[in-house]
Each structure stands twice: as structure tokens, then as C-alpha cells.
Amino acid sequence: MSDLELENIYTEHLEEDIVLQLSKKNNISLEKAMQIYYQSKLANWIHSGEFGVQYLDSAVLVELLEKEN
């Protein structure tokens, strides 16, 4: 498996964790949490690798996301 494939799998799992935590923490549906996440600057940062945020813990990233909204 290549480094790029591993990075993509890691990112996918990170996004799942973010959406799940956002949903549970704010008592909202997974669909709403997905909408919030995928329309955020954070999602763009993670996909582009900006600022290295993709290596932060998902709980920290959820806090950043909540501050954004």
C-alpha cells in the first residue's frame, strides 16, 4: 500500500470520527453533522493538508469546527 493510499484511509477515518463526535456532542443527526463538516473550512484544510490539521486529534478538530460556526 502506498503512502498516498494510507493517507487517504487515515483522512477518511478522521472525517468519520469528526462527524460522529460532532453529532453526539451536539445531539444532532449524522446527516446534519456531515453537512456542517463538509461545508466547513476545516474540511477544506484537512483535504488540502493545510496547517497540518489532519494530524490533530478528532476531539480538537471538533472544537475548532464548533468555533468556526
Side-chain angles (χ1 to χ4, degrees):
M1 189 173 286
S2 73
D3 289 346
L4 181 58
E5 289 171 316
L6 287 173
E7 186 75 24
N8 288 337
I9 291 169
Y10 174 81
T11 300
E12 190 175 302
H13 285 269
L14 177 64
E15 291 178 324
E16 289 172 4
D17 289 345
I18 291 168
V19 168
L20 184 59
Q21 287 181 37
L22 184 64
S23 172
K24 286 182 177 182
K25 187 174 180 183
N26 294 289
N27 196 28
I28 58 176
S29 70
L30 287 172
E31 292 81 10
K32 180 65 177 173
M34 287 175 65
Q35 179 183 24
I36 291 168
Y37 170 71
Y38 284 108
Q39 292 178 350
S40 71
K41 291 177 188 174
L42 179 63
N44 291 328
W45 293 343
I46 288 172
H47 283 271
S48 67
E50 271 188 75
F51 312 113
V53 295
Q54 71 273 24
Y55 301 116
L56 295 175
D57 184 76
S58 58
V60 172
L61 294 172
V62 168
E63 288 181 27
L64 289 173
L65 181 58
E66 291 175 328
K67 288 179 182 178
E68 181 183 324
N69 290 318

